[in-house]
Amino acid sequence: MMTYDYDVIVVGGGHAGVEAALAVARMGKTAAIVTMEASKLALMSCNPAIGGIGKSHLVKEIDALGGLMGEAIDATGIQFRRLNLSRGPAVWSTRVQADRIKYNEYVVRFVAAQKNVDVIEGLAGQILADNGRVCGMKTEAGRSVTSRAVIIASGTFLGGLIHIGDKKIRAGRMGEPAAYMLSESLAELGFEIGRLKTGTPPRLDGDTIDWSKCEVQPGEQPLPLFSHRSVREPFEQTPCHLTYTTEATRAIISANFKASPIFSGQIKSTGPRYCPSIEDKFFRFADKPRHQVFLEPEGNGTNEIYPNGFSTALPEKIQYQAVRTLTGLENVRPTRPGYAIEYDYCPAFQVMPSLETRRIKGLFFAGQINGTSGYEEAAGQGLMAGINAVLGIEGEPPFVLDRSEAYIGVMIDDLTTRSTTEPYRLFTSRAEYRLALREDNARDRLYGYAKEHKLIDDNDFVSFVSLQEKTLQEINLLRRKRVRVSEIGKLGDRFQKRESISLEDLLKQPGVTIGDALPILARFDGEFSVDREVLERAAIFIRYRGYVEKQQREIDKFKRMENEKIPEDFDFTAVKGLKQEAFDKFQCFRPVSLGQAGRIEGVTPGDIAVLSVYLKKHKG
Amino acid sequence: MRYGHFLARDGAVIDEIMAVYMPEGRSYTGHDQVEIYCHGGRQVAKMIQDELVAAGARVAEPGEFTRLAFLAGRIDLTRAEAVAEVIESNTDTSFRAARDHLLGGYHNHISQLREALIDIIAEVEASVDYPEEDIDPENRFGLLAQLDVIIANVNELVDTYRGGRIINEGFRIVIGGRPNAGKSSLFNLLLRQERALVTPTPGTTRDYLSEWIELDGFKVNLIDTAGLRQTGGAVEKAGQKSARQILKGANLVIWMVDTTKKSWKRDLGYDLKSLGDTPTMLIGNKIDLLSGAGLKRVKASDAKLIPLSCLTGKGVADLKRAVGSRITDNMPDLTSGVVVTSARHQQKLSKALRSLKAARVKLKKDETPELTAFDLRQAVASIDEITGKIYTEEILGRIFSRFCIGK
């Protein structure tokens, strides 16, 4: 029996790698993070913020599954906001501006204190596999470390190539070497490798910005924290600012389209449509007069500002000319240039929903290597890969969330059923059961799993169950208690024809929040809970109950299709009557269930009918 | 395509034939397929078929080829259904509607509606997923107007089912009237004069007679209620009830009046009341027995009876013309080729319509967009159940092509 140095090796110390290693450790196994500099764990390579639309839902889910991201940003955030408050609570999204350095330090300290996790400094160069089974990793310098599972979370470092104008630099991040040998090692193992592109804006010296010309965006009180484990006293938040491009910006950038590697043909891979470079914005939307740019502080201990919305790969000199045409930035001093970066990824049809690769047992991929972008997307995958690496070692079935349970499930299902055409980012519109997948109910959805896999304290679970019970009590109470329409002022406008309504009726109305109802609840002499969280959870539950129940039948149907499993070694060539396109797609994506098969692009209901008939005929 | 002879088991030549082999994936059904072309006449075809069966082939079940084609992904659901309709159609109009389905006119129309709907969803979703973008919020009223157009279109489509059903199931004419008014005479007269259609439905029941004829190119289901006594003792109570039901389910009631009876006017007034708002056409029968003055009275009556004699056949042409125009009035415009003839489609479209109306209410009241999106997506899902599609990526694609998104 071979002995291993670690149970799991995690290649890469970014947001995916850290969550992966921590999940492994929490589940009682040993993990080593292989990274070039131990002090750079969970560094924010691009914008200094966590959360935002859809992404915040991921952070809540990561938190509910015992992950670190929520706590880390709660502790080190410098501006807290919730987006979409004018929309319904299903799409409220927390977004927190980070102190970049503090965030990184927090994670470094946390990892250092975590039992069972080591950090190994080095540049991973080769994946060691034997007989289709992973057995460790070798650094470029030649050090071998053995393990039973390996998770690759290499981000933009995998074959990274930075572009600034016509300048090309081999790097994973500005000033840091890229992992080229690792990419070759994956190719040698037989993985198909593709190329994607992303970009980052120049950074600016905040002392040289005329803030009076920019719109201020203050933080929100009370602090909307991500994690229920977090406690943070109110503090003076650092605001963000909003400014705009001008006619002069357009003139400079339009005159220099050809100087950008994005248009010159130097960059061939695709970047994200939702995060275009500034030159791309002026090119594709030529008639839009101006574009907004958010000026986000990188931290409290620095003057550096991140101009969100101004990602560019133009030559340095032109970048700086262009940025000085923004309102309030006339005299700005840039601190470093923006750039585009191309990197390798492995199209995600090569992983299973557990994120384990089909080709090599025990080898997992998480984050940008699967074609995603974003810290939160990466962290969510890292966490799942970590859990599944341990389950694999223990011979347990993998932990897979489905589309009706979590945004994590939506994301991984999208990745494993669609071909990547751009870096993947989560949006709430990707979730067909959006009204049921909310920030407020992440723990309701996932805590059972978290407990089952020992990702959280038992005490934590018990206290959550009590919160659930209290919520249920309030929901019932809100249904029973009635108020006179004449006594609730404007809130009663919609109910003119009725004499009295239940508080449930009141809270069902879109636009009515628990905040609006609090003064009314106060009239009931302490019958209602004073816990704001309990009341808010009850109110949101009431708001969406009808819709969620209406959708339940669809979810049941969806689950039935998910439960029609297709064996891992299923021979699609045996199914007669499949369209060629469907056959090719099935061979490539190897769906694990009929439901998943149906979501693959290009597959028709007819193909599913054929497959379904065949599976039923050959069952057992 | 090959030329040759078809030989029987004993080696005798049955016919000279042409045959074509279509390999798997390139035939209508998607399977290996051979087509044999022989000379006309049922006998030759029958002999060839017998030989094939003797050699181990099986005669296809009705619709089996189309089912195979659907399962092989060669055609989508609407087209598969349309093929079934073409096979089942037995009149000019139903063939035309079915053929248009098959050619995809209907499919295109639904696709266009769906496209327009996804445009609206993209707008609504953009306002949820990109609150920080300075997207000019396409004003709510603009969206409302777009949505109204879609609702009107779906409404229209749902309405065509009234006609579509007539095409598919036939225009139902019930001949009613008091005893001895001449119901059966008219029934038999029309059956004799018009082409009878063979249908799988049993033509006779214990209570009434039912036949199919083609009238003005339309399939007509003619029902004679002669077996039903409209008045009588307790024994016939049950019969009376079913008479009312049959009358109620009619697209048109031809009510026969015996104009030789003195009390016909008074009786008619009473009968019309009980018929309520069922579309009715009144026939003044037995005019051959009337005096000149009597005929004048019939013609001058406010009830606008069509004077007719089942005995001489006088007035039958007028009756048929009137019935033809009644049917035409009930029919949707067939030139567009967009008629819902399937109960399943009608059901899905009605469901979509309900969701669209719910979305409209939310949009009008300016409720939160994730709820409006919910209803709009339900509408698309209902439409997709007709053709079968997945659309999340489409919405995102639409958003990115319309708005400058992203920081």
Side-chain angles (χ1 to χ4, degrees), chain B residues 112-143:
Chain B
Q112 278 166 20
L113 280 178
R114 188 178 168 283
E115 288 290 296
L117 192 50
I118 286 180
D119 273 339
I120 298 184
I121 295 178
E123 296 264 354
V124 176
E125 292 290 359
S127 77
V128 172
D129 270 344
Y130 313 95
E132 289 197 307
E133 300 297 330
D134 53 347
I135 295 170
D136 292 338
E138 164 101 11
N139 72 55
R140 209 153 45 82
F141 299 101
L143 280 186

Side-chain angles (χ1 to χ4, degrees), chain A residues 17 19 26 42 51 113 136 140 163 191 221 235 270 288 296 327 355 384 439 447 450 481 503 522 576 603 615:
Chain A
E19 293 292 356
R26 249 177 250 124
E140 285 199 2
H163 299 259
F191 286 100
Q221 282 291 1
F235 65 99
T270 1
K288 199 170 162 167
E296 302 177 355
T327 311
L355 298 180
M384 297 304 281
E439 276 195 0
Y447 243 32
K481 295 293 171 189
L503 291 168
K576 293 272 174 264
V603 171
L615 284 170

Side-chain angles (χ1 to χ4, degrees), chain B residues 278-349:
Chain B
T278 314
T280 306
M281 187 176 282
L282 302 174
I283 306 295
N285 194 21
K286 305 189 188 178
I287 51 167
D288 52 304
L289 300 175
L290 290 180
S291 63
L295 186 60
K296 229 177 190 170
R297 259 210 312 283
V298 171
K299 283 184 176 165
S301 154
D302 292 341
K304 295 205 172 117
L305 289 97
I306 298 174
L308 183 132
S309 164
C310 288
L311 196 69
T312 65
K314 198 166 191 283
V316 173
D318 293 337
L319 168 68
K320 281 196 276 195
R321 213 170 11 252
V323 170
S325 71
R326 281 289 182 106
I327 299 177
T328 314
D329 289 349
N330 267 281
M331 294 305 294
D333 179 11
L334 287 182
T335 49
S336 64
V338 185
V339 185
V340 180
T341 53
S342 133
R344 190 180 76 86
H345 293 194
Q346 143 80 11
Q347 201 193 352
K348 300 296 172 206
L349 287 168

Side-chain angles (χ1 to χ4, degrees), chain A residues 87-205:
Chain A
R87 325 290 193 216
V91 293
W92 288 350
S93 288
T94 310
R95 186 184 188 279
V96 183
Q97 207 61 44
D99 185 316
R100 214 169 148 263
I101 301 299
K102 288 245 171 73
Y103 185 90
N104 149 251
E105 287 170 355
Y106 182 96
V107 174
V108 168
R109 271 200 310 277
F110 193 94
V111 169
Q114 174 74 47
K115 213 171 68 176
N116 292 341
V117 178
D118 287 346
V119 179
I120 296 174
E121 285 199 343
L123 181 53
Q126 193 187 347
I127 299 304
L128 304 174
D130 184 27
N131 250 337
R133 195 170 178 109
V134 82
C135 55
M137 174 268 352
K138 197 169 165 184
T139 63
E140 285 199 2
R143 176 179 173 192
S144 290
V145 186
T146 59
S147 68
R148 294 198 281 180
V150 173
I151 298 169
I152 304 187
S154 45
T156 56
F157 284 79
L158 198 65
L161 182 66
I162 285 178
H163 299 259
I164 306 178
D166 57 5
K167 234 192 307 180
K168 287 188 274 188
I169 308 158
R170 282 180 158 218
R173 224 169 6 220
M174 190 60 98
E176 297 177 46
Y180 274 82
M181 261 175 73
L182 182 60
S183 199
E184 284 160 25
S185 165
L186 289 171
E188 270 165 31
L189 289 172
F191 286 100
E192 184 183 321
I193 292 175
R195 205 107 170 109
L196 287 171
K197 175 235 142 187
T198 188
T200 196
R203 308 299 197 272
L204 313 171
D205 178 352

Side-chain angles (χ1 to χ4, degrees), chain A residues 341-503:
Chain A
I341 180 164
E342 284 188 291
Y343 54 95
D344 286 341
Y345 80 106
C346 294
F349 62 79
Q350 299 172 97
V351 296
M352 296 180 275
S354 61
L355 298 180
E356 185 174 10
T357 62
R358 295 182 192 285
R359 194 167 281 280
I360 308 288
K361 241 183 150 23
L363 180 65
F364 293 74
F365 290 163
Q368 277 165 311
I369 192 170
N370 282 332
T372 60
S373 107
Y375 312 140
E376 303 81 355
E377 284 84 349
Q381 290 169 66
L383 180 70
M384 297 304 281
I387 295 168
N388 282 322
V390 173
L391 292 174
I393 290 169
E394 289 175 341
E396 297 289 325
F399 172 42
V400 176
L401 290 164
D402 75 37
R403 302 183 73 88
S404 70
E405 293 174 310
Y407 274 93
I408 291 176
V410 171
M411 167 175 70
I412 294 177
D413 186 65
D414 280 346
L415 289 175
T416 51
T417 54
R418 310 196 157 263
S419 29
T420 309
T421 50
E422 65 180 336
Y424 177 97
R425 189 217 128 128
L426 208 57
F427 296 104
T428 71
S429 55
R430 292 197 193 270
E432 42 281 82
Y433 311 116
R434 172 168 61 194
L435 302 183
L437 304 182
R438 307 184 301 266
E439 276 195 0
D440 69 278
N441 71 353
R443 280 191 288 164
D444 298 79
R445 294 184 274 122
L446 302 175
Y447 243 32
Y449 294 125
K451 179 174 187 286
E452 181 189 334
H453 295 299
K454 307 211 179 330
L455 298 164
I456 52 163
D457 284 351
D458 282 351
N459 288 340
D460 208 0
F461 184 76
V462 170
S463 77
F464 177 67
V465 170
S466 122
L467 176 74
Q468 276 185 315
E469 281 163 5
K470 279 186 218 154
T471 308
L472 196 61
Q473 270 173 27
E474 296 307 298
I475 290 168
N476 290 332
L477 198 58
L478 287 163
R479 172 179 275 182
R480 285 205 311 274
K481 295 293 171 189
R482 302 183 73 83
V483 284
R484 288 183 170 283
V485 172
S486 58
E487 290 171 2
I488 53 173
K490 267 187 81 68
L491 289 175
D493 284 356
R494 278 170 188 264
F495 303 100
Q496 283 309 324
K497 290 190 186 120
R498 293 162 67 177
E499 195 175 317
S500 76
I501 55 165
S502 72
L503 291 168

Side-chain angles (χ1 to χ4, degrees), chain B residues 9-263:
Chain B
R9 274 158 297 177
D10 59 10
V13 173
I14 293 182
D15 193 12
E16 56 177 348
I17 58 160
M18 290 191 293
V20 63
Y21 166 62
M22 286 167 275
E24 188 178 333
R26 319 213 22 197
S27 65
Y28 174 62
T29 56
H31 292 254
D32 273 342
Q33 196 172 322
V34 173
E35 281 182 12
I36 297 171
Y37 303 84
C38 63
H39 285 101
R42 290 179 67 91
Q43 189 52 35
V44 173
K46 172 99 173 46
M47 284 167 75
I48 290 176
Q49 183 180 311
D50 288 347
E51 286 298 327
L52 291 171
V53 170
R58 173 172 67 76
V59 177
E61 290 156 19
E64 190 170 358
F65 274 47
T66 300
R67 188 170 52 84
L68 287 174
F70 167 70
L71 290 177
R74 306 280 301 173
I75 52 176
D76 73 16
L77 270 177
T78 30
R79 285 180 206 197
E81 285 166 328
V83 172
E85 285 176 18
V86 168
I87 293 166
E88 285 163 14
S89 72
N90 43 19
T91 63
D92 272 4
T93 36
S94 56
F95 178 72
R96 205 160 63 215
R99 190 195 52 201
D100 286 343
H101 273 199
L102 192 56
L103 293 178
Y106 176 72
H107 183 254
N108 286 345
H109 184 72
I110 292 199
S111 298
Q112 278 166 20
L113 280 178
R114 188 178 168 283
E115 288 290 296
L117 192 50
I118 286 180
D119 273 339
I120 298 184
I121 295 178
E123 296 264 354
V124 176
E125 292 290 359
S127 77
V128 172
D129 270 344
Y130 313 95
E132 289 197 307
E133 300 297 330
D134 53 347
I135 295 170
D136 292 338
E138 164 101 11
N139 72 55
R140 209 153 45 82
F141 299 101
L143 280 186
L144 261 180
Q146 285 179 41
L147 187 57
D148 280 340
V149 172
I150 294 176
I151 289 176
N153 268 304
V154 176
N155 227 335
E156 210 172 283
L157 209 48
V158 168
D159 269 355
T160 65
Y161 183 60
R162 203 164 35 92
R165 194 171 170 182
I166 292 170
I167 291 173
N168 232 11
E169 297 173 13
F171 188 80
R172 200 172 159 91
I173 298 180
V174 176
I175 305 176
R178 297 200 163 220
N180 287 323
K183 298 187 288 287
S184 294
S185 304
L186 181 63
F187 182 78
N188 291 324
L189 183 72
L190 289 172
L191 275 188
R192 264 201 315 279
Q193 289 191 359
E194 304 306 317
R195 182 163 81 97
L197 298 170
V198 183
T199 67
T201 323
T204 325
T205 70
R206 204 169 53 89
D207 293 333
Y208 58 91
L209 296 168
S210 165
E211 290 292 346
W212 274 262
I213 58 169
E214 187 179 330
L215 210 152
D216 261 15
F218 294 106
K219 183 156 110 183
V220 169
N221 180 200
L222 202 59
I223 293 169
D224 175 12
T225 60
L228 294 169
R229 300 288 287 272
Q230 322 271 314
T231 55
V235 188
E236 277 131 0
K237 274 270 153 45
Q240 283 182 38
K241 197 175 162 198
S242 78
R244 265 204 297 281
Q245 264 170 6
I246 289 165
L247 287 168
K248 227 178 137 188
N251 294 111
L252 177 67
V253 170
I254 294 183
W255 191 259
M256 307 285 288
V257 175
D258 179 354
T259 52
T260 61
K261 277 181 80 174
K262 277 205 179 92
S263 60

